[in-house]
Amino acid sequence: QVQLVESGGGLVHAGGSLRLSCVASGLTFRSNIMGWFRQLPGKEREFVAGINWISDDTRYRDSVKGRFTISRENAKNTVFLQMNSLQPEDTATYYCAARRHFITAVTPGEYDYWGQGTQVTVSA
């Protein structure tokens, strides 16, 4: 059974930082793309960042480039999202996702497994 568990969300002032973690179990990490998405109530889930477990290639949405960094730690089956210079518009529930494919995708429907999400709130 595949399980993705996120942690690290919280409340932070604008300009602050948070580091999200996603621990995966029951998953062959090396055959997957790992992604982070975010969602506001009533809005569509949007791609934030993705990492190819084999090539280590990364991809980001334009609004987070230079502020967010996705990384992985093989030994712990963990993917991280380091978020710096946070802004109120980054406020959302952040989800970890896994895709059984070697090409990064940006649409939620192309991912096979999801975590429960962790809330990130950035105050002005």
Side-chain angles (χ1 to χ4, degrees):
Q1 182 180 356
V2 175
Q3 190 173 19
L4 304 178
V5 180
E6 305 98 333
S7 63
L11 173 64
V12 65
H13 291 298
S17 298
L18 285 173
R19 190 193 197 201
L20 305 184
S21 299
C22 171
V23 180
S25 59
L27 193 67
T28 305
F29 244 26
R30 282 188 287 277
S31 62
N32 284 269
I33 296 294
M34 300 301 298
W36 285 97
F37 286 76
R38 64 188 183 187
Q39 188 173 24
L40 283 169
K43 297 288 185 69
E44 292 187 356
R45 195 167 293 190
E46 62 182 25
F47 175 81
V48 176
I51 187 166
N52 183 309
W53 200 260
I54 296 176
S55 69
D56 211 26
D57 286 343
T58 57
R59 187 172 178 179
Y60 299 92
R61 71 179 296 110
D62 287 345
S63 63
V64 308
K65 286 180 180 177
R67 300 189 297 125
F68 291 11
T69 303
I70 188 171
S71 62
R72 56 177 173 78
E73 185 169 346
N74 294 15
K76 296 185 178 181
N77 270 9
T78 302
V79 177
F80 303 100
L81 185 67
Q82 177 68 43
M83 306 187 295
N84 299 329
S85 302
L86 283 161
Q87 300 301 317
E89 52 265 35
D90 295 315
T91 295
T93 299
Y94 283 70
Y95 296 89
C96 176
R99 180 172 192 240
R100 292 175 298 179
H101 203 278
F102 58 89
I103 296 176
T104 304
V106 300
T107 54
E110 295 181 275
Y111 284 75
D112 302 290
Y113 307 104
W114 292 87
Q116 292 301 304
T118 185
Q119 178 66 36
V120 171
T121 303
V122 185
S123 62

